[in-house]
């Protein structure tokens, strides 16, 4: 009897690992937060999600796609723009975040407004300053498309798009955006070595930054007030807009530092163009307030040389293979294999 | 062999047992009369109201006999939309004959479902019952035009929801019932009277007021006697 139970258990366990094994990540990393059992990664669903990601059909007048603000070549953000640009040349109120390693996130957006990756796309699709449409309108357009009829059939065995299938397919593509092959990762694996400058920068990072920008994801996925003065035009109180709790005022999602070289400008409102400005903020620009992160209450002291060393370490977080991965770029090979509309 | 036979008999009897159905119909009342969408109603306090949308979720339907649960509907999510008359009649398949004297359900969508990612059917976000700027189902939605004491008509939108404390707005409703056909009526008057329409025309995010209004709604369901 015990033998049968253990065989059964073994079969169950292997069944789950094979399912999850479609999602690859370094063995030393923590377990992802995304519930893959509800949306197991499958090639055709990833393909559908990738086509949707690059298609301006998601916006009201077919002008803006996800890629408009999340370009693969800048680790899926919008470089040079402090605030993201949307439909009819509108300008939004926050800096578009870089997209990577999303399976580990517990909440999304600078203020954590979104509780599940599946529901994230609804926000830009609907926002009047982003895509200005609605999931209902998008699904109606998709239902009228021959191309998508084929792609949904390949993904789901059913050619009729729904909100659920659309959102889950977008999640599938986003989940595959795993960045884990920077010089830092190679050093950790023992395949490469830091230069003396990078090594010193890593020590400074561990001493001053790593409690919030926790390895290996370089974020603890929490919210914090990092002492930025309030932008008088935007008056953005961050997390407090969601919780309505004044102890959350000026707290924003702690972003990952991976690929930071590609994701300028920095901060929720894109106020800093260069990493040197970020360094100067943390050493001499912190505004004291009730909600300031406790880690920043005491001044961070860095000499000019140390700032340079710290930046040289941050540049080891650049993952060129991620940024130029042809599986993440415009899906010409998928689109050319299905019907034209 | 004998064992297998017994199992076979049990399985067959399960399929051949009379599948009982409980029919539930829902309607809403305004100023003592049945609510009709897109009709102007002037109440005794000279308020003018025109409701053009009324939608809400009923979930986790259970039948009880003397406070013990005799049946829980699986995957129990129902979007009641007064623009779609078919959605205001529910037919609950109980698979076996049950004896009950009360019905229990949620007004809204529970917290766990709210954090479960993209869902389909009645819960598909294309139904317009999911917030987009912030995650979470809209449990109850009423939109229309209102004027208080002969002021000009103004658009109003009331979207109630919130799946996290301190603004968790899900409500449980339990009512005594005696019949197989249950006619539920939601009296909208106390709800509408607790909104200050001279000043407030939009309630569209989780808040203390949203919880308070949800509680008022939950208290104003009643079972109408069958004619």
């Amino acid at each position: 009897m015990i033998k049968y139970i253990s065989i059964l258990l073994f079969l169950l366990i292997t069944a789950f690992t094979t399912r999850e094994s479609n999602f690859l990540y370094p063995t030393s990393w923590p377990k992802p937060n995304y519930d893959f059992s509800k949306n197991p990664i499958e090639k055709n669903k990833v393909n559908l999600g990738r086509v949707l990601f690059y298609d301006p059909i998601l916006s009201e007048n077919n002008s803006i796609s996800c890629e408009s603000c999340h370009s693969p070549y800048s680790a899926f953000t919008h470089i040079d723009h402090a605030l993201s640009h949307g439909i009819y040349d509108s300008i939004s109120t926050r800096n578009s975040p870089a997209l990577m390693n999303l399976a580990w996130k517990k909440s999304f957006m600078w203020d954590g407004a979104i509780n599940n990756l599946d529901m994230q796309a609804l926000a830009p699709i609907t926002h009047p300053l982003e895509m200005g449409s609605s999931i209902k309108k998008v699904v109606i357009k998709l239902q009228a498309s021959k191309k998508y009829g084929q792609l949904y059939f390949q993904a789901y065995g059913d050619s009729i798009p729904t909100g659920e299938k659309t959102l889950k397919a977008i999640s599938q593509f986003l989940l595959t955006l795993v960045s884990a092959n920077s010089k830092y990762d190679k050093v950790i694996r023992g395949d490469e070595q830091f230069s003396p400058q990078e090594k010193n920068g890593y020590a400074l990072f561990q001493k001053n930054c790593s409690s919030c920008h926790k390895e290996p994801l370089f974020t603890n996925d929490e919210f914090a007030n990092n002492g930025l003065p309030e932008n008088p035009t935007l008056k953005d109180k961050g997390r407090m807009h969601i919780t309505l709790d004044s102890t959350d005022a000026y707290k924003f999602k702690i972003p990952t530092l991976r690929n930071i070289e590609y994701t300028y400008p920095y901060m929720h409102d894109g106020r800093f163009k260069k990493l040197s400005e970020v360094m100067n903020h943390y050493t001499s620009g912190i505004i004291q307030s009730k909600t300031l992160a406790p880690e920043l209450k005491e001044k961070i002291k860095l000499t000019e040389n140390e700032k340079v060393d710290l930046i040289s370490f941050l540049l080891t977080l650049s993952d060129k293979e991620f940024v130029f991965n042809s599986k993440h770029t415009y899906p010409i090979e998928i689109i050319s294999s299905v019907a034209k509309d | 062999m004998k064992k297998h036979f017994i199992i076979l008999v049990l399985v067959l009897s399960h399929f051949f047992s009379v599948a009982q159905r409980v029919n539930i119909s829902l309607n809403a009342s305004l100023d003592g009369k049945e609510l009709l969408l897109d009709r102007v109603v002037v109440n005794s306090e000279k308020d003018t109201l025109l409701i053009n949308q009324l939608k809400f979720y009923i979930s986790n339907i259970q039948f009880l006999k003397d406070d013990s649960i005799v049946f829980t509907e699986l995957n129990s999510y129902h979007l009641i939309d007064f623009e779609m008359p078919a959605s205001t009649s529910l037919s609950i398949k109980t698979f076996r004959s049950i004896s009950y004297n009360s019905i229990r359900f949620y007004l809204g969508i529970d917290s766990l479902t709210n954090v479960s990612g993209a869902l389909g059917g009645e819960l598909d976000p294309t139904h317009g019952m999911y917030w987009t700027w912030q995650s979470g189902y809209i449990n109850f939605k009423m939109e229309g035009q209102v004027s208080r004491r002969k002021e000009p008509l103004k658009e109003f939108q009331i979207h109630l929801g919130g799946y996290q404390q301190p603004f968790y707005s899900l409500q449980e409703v339990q009512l005594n019932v005696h019949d197989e056909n249950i006619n539920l009526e939601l009296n909208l008057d106390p709800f509408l009277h607790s909104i200050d329409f001279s000043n407030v025309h939009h309630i569209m995010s989780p808040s203390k007021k949203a919880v308070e209004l949800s509680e008022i709604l939950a208290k104003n369901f009643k079972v109408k006697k069958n004619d």
Side-chain angles (χ1 to χ4, degrees):
Chain A
M1 192 61 191
I2 289 168
K3 198 172 144 198
Y4 284 120
I5 290 174
S6 49
I7 290 172
L8 192 72
L9 271 174
F10 174 75
L11 284 173
L12 268 172
I13 290 162
T14 46
F16 278 110
T17 40
T18 23
R19 268 187 146 185
E20 278 231 14
S21 67
N22 288 336
F23 181 69
L24 298 173
Y25 62 93
T27 45
S28 61
W29 281 24
K31 261 185 87 76
N33 184 61
Y34 189 81
D35 185 353
F36 286 93
S37 69
K38 291 202 175 92
N39 192 18
I41 297 285
E42 283 164 32
K43 187 170 168 267
N44 288 336
K45 292 180 183 163
V46 174
N47 284 350
L48 169 61
R50 187 169 150 211
V51 175
L52 288 164
F53 185 86
Y54 283 91
D55 196 337
I57 196 169
L58 299 189
S59 65
E60 176 70 6
N61 63 354
N62 304 316
S63 66
I64 304 277
S65 72
C66 303
E67 190 258 351
S68 305
C69 292
H70 299 283
S71 160
Y73 305 110
S74 55
F76 294 95
T77 180
H78 200 186
I79 53 166
D80 282 333
H81 290 94
L83 302 172
S84 64
H85 288 210
I87 197 165
Y88 312 122
D89 289 329
S90 57
I91 294 178
S92 167
T93 56
R94 286 183 186 150
N95 183 7
S96 66
L99 308 180
M100 74 197 84
N101 305 337
L102 299 172
W104 285 268
K105 288 177 85 73
K106 299 188 288 269
S107 65
F108 301 85
M109 297 291 205
W110 284 105
D111 54 16
I114 310 296
N115 67 24
N116 189 300
L117 182 61
D118 294 352
M119 307 326 258
Q120 168 61 37
L122 291 174
I125 287 171
T126 316
H127 200 291
L129 300 179
E130 295 184 51
M131 290 162 153
S133 184
S134 74
I135 185 71
K136 189 176 180 180
K137 287 184 196 169
V138 168
V139 165
I140 289 169
K141 282 198 267 181
L142 295 172
Q143 285 172 347
S145 153
K146 275 189 203 141
K147 175 176 87 179
Y148 280 106
Q150 263 180 283
L151 289 168
Y152 277 80
F153 185 79
Q154 287 167 7
Y156 292 102
D158 176 351
S159 61
I160 301 170
T162 65
E164 181 191 17
K165 287 180 204 155
T166 305
L167 294 171
K168 281 190 164 162
I170 295 172
S171 282
Q172 293 245 340
F173 172 62
L174 295 177
L175 288 162
T176 65
L177 306 179
V178 175
S179 176
N181 218 6
S182 62
K183 179 171 181 183
Y184 160 84
D185 297 297
K186 289 171 188 164
V187 172
I188 295 292
R189 292 200 301 261
D191 298 340
E192 275 187 42
Q193 288 205 317
F194 282 137
S195 72
Q197 192 182 31
E198 290 162 353
K199 202 173 170 190
N200 189 39
Y202 185 35
L204 291 164
F205 166 81
Q206 288 183 309
K207 180 167 175 259
N208 295 299
C209 321
S210 66
S211 60
C212 293
H213 297 286
K214 201 178 155 206
E215 296 172 70
L217 294 157
F218 288 85
T219 171
N220 60 6
D221 208 37
E222 299 292 331
F223 303 90
N225 172 358
N226 67 343
L228 293 167
E230 185 188 61
N231 177 318
T233 330
L234 298 169
K235 290 199 170 48
D236 193 341
K237 298 215 168 26
R239 180 75 179 147
M240 185 183 154
H241 292 295
I242 302 304
T243 61
L244 310 181
D245 182 346
S246 61
T247 63
D248 286 329
Y250 306 111
K251 289 185 184 172
F252 292 89
K253 176 58 76 75
I254 295 164
T256 180
L257 303 182
R258 285 183 172 271
N259 295 301
I260 197 166
E261 180 183 4
Y262 307 121
T263 60
Y264 56 92
Y266 306 109
M267 305 296 155
H268 64 273
D269 54 5
R271 66 177 73 191
F272 299 136
K273 289 191 179 64
K274 292 180 173 176
L275 286 174
S276 58
E277 293 172 68
V278 176
M279 296 295 131
N280 292 339
H281 165 69
Y282 282 110
T283 54
S284 52
I286 302 277
I287 303 286
Q288 293 288 329
S289 71
K290 273 186 196 158
T291 62
L292 179 68
E295 295 87 349
L296 297 172
K297 291 238 152 88
E298 211 173 305
K299 226 176 180 180
I300 293 178
K301 289 193 188 98
L302 294 171
T303 66
E304 289 310 305
N305 282 340
E306 285 174 332
K307 287 180 192 172
V308 175
D309 291 357
L310 183 48
I311 290 174
S312 80
F313 165 69
L314 293 177
L315 299 184
T316 71
L317 300 176
S318 300
D319 182 350
K320 285 207 177 63
E321 283 166 50
F322 174 69
V323 170
F324 295 104
N325 189 337
S326 61
K327 284 183 186 160
H328 299 166
T329 51
Y330 183 78
I332 184 72
E333 76 278 12
I334 303 169
I335 291 168
S336 57
S337 73
V338 290
K340 303 260 176 304
D341 282 321
Chain B
M1 190 60 209
K2 202 176 167 192
K3 226 185 197 171
H4 288 144
F5 181 73
I6 293 169
I7 292 169
L8 188 75
V9 168
L10 280 174
V11 169
L12 285 177
S13 63
H14 175 77
F15 281 110
F16 287 111
S17 66
V18 189
Q20 198 195 352
R21 278 173 186 279
V22 181
N23 298 311
I24 303 172
S25 74
L26 279 125
N27 58 49
S29 73
L30 182 63
D31 204 33
K33 291 183 269 307
E34 187 179 344
L35 170 80
L36 295 169
L37 293 184
D38 304 311
R39 298 278 171 89
V40 175
V41 174
V42 182
N43 69 13
S44 49
E45 292 165 49
K46 298 247 164 31
D47 295 338
T48 307
L49 255 171
L50 188 156
I51 294 171
N52 48 39
Q53 212 184 119
L54 179 63
K55 289 161 98 168
F56 53 85
Y57 277 113
I58 295 279
S59 68
N60 195 38
I61 296 178
Q62 296 183 320
F63 294 103
L64 299 92
K65 174 83 177 176
D66 305 330
D67 279 336
S68 58
I69 298 162
V70 292
F71 178 78
T72 302
E73 190 187 25
L74 288 177
N75 206 5
S76 181
Y77 303 101
H78 303 275
L79 176 55
I80 314 297
D81 180 351
F82 282 77
E83 236 168 344
M84 317 278 240
S87 76
T88 62
S89 302
L90 310 177
S91 177
I92 313 291
K93 220 193 263 179
T94 59
F95 296 105
R96 61 195 159 81
S97 180
I98 53 166
S99 155
Y100 55 90
N101 50 24
S102 67
I103 180 174
R104 186 194 280 169
F105 58 86
Y106 289 145
L107 174 62
I109 301 296
D110 65 281
S111 186
L112 182 64
T113 308
N114 265 284
V115 297
S116 297
L119 299 164
E122 300 279 275
L123 296 170
D124 195 295
T126 48
H127 297 305
M129 292 295 277
Y130 196 90
W131 271 310
T132 58
W133 60 279
Q134 170 176 17
S135 292
Y137 280 94
I138 298 169
N139 294 331
F140 177 96
K141 189 179 212 177
M142 183 193 278
E143 296 186 1
Q145 292 172 17
V146 65
S147 107
R148 187 134 277 186
R149 291 176 205 89
K150 295 186 175 169
E151 289 167 15
L153 274 175
K154 262 193 178 172
E155 302 269 339
F156 75 91
Q157 292 168 300
I158 310 292
H159 300 176
L160 305 179
Y163 67 92
Q164 276 175 312
Q165 294 296 1
F167 307 128
Y168 190 21
S169 66
L170 184 81
Q171 301 295 324
E172 191 181 278
V173 178
Q174 187 167 342
L175 297 162
N176 293 330
V177 289
H178 305 286
D179 223 303
E180 272 173 31
N181 296 310
I182 301 169
N183 295 325
L184 295 179
E185 186 175 76
L186 172 59
N187 177 9
L188 294 169
D189 296 328
F191 165 78
L192 289 163
H193 288 150
S194 35
I195 302 166
D196 172 16
F197 279 120
S198 303
N199 299 304
V200 179
H201 294 89
H202 302 280
I203 297 175
M204 301 176 77
S205 58
S207 66
K208 207 176 145 205
K209 184 71 184 170
V211 175
E212 192 187 305
L213 289 170
S214 304
E215 286 166 356
I216 292 171
L217 285 167
K219 284 189 196 117
N220 284 283
F221 279 93
K222 68 169 189 196
V223 178
K224 262 179 70 175
K225 284 261 158 63
N226 289 322
D227 306 319

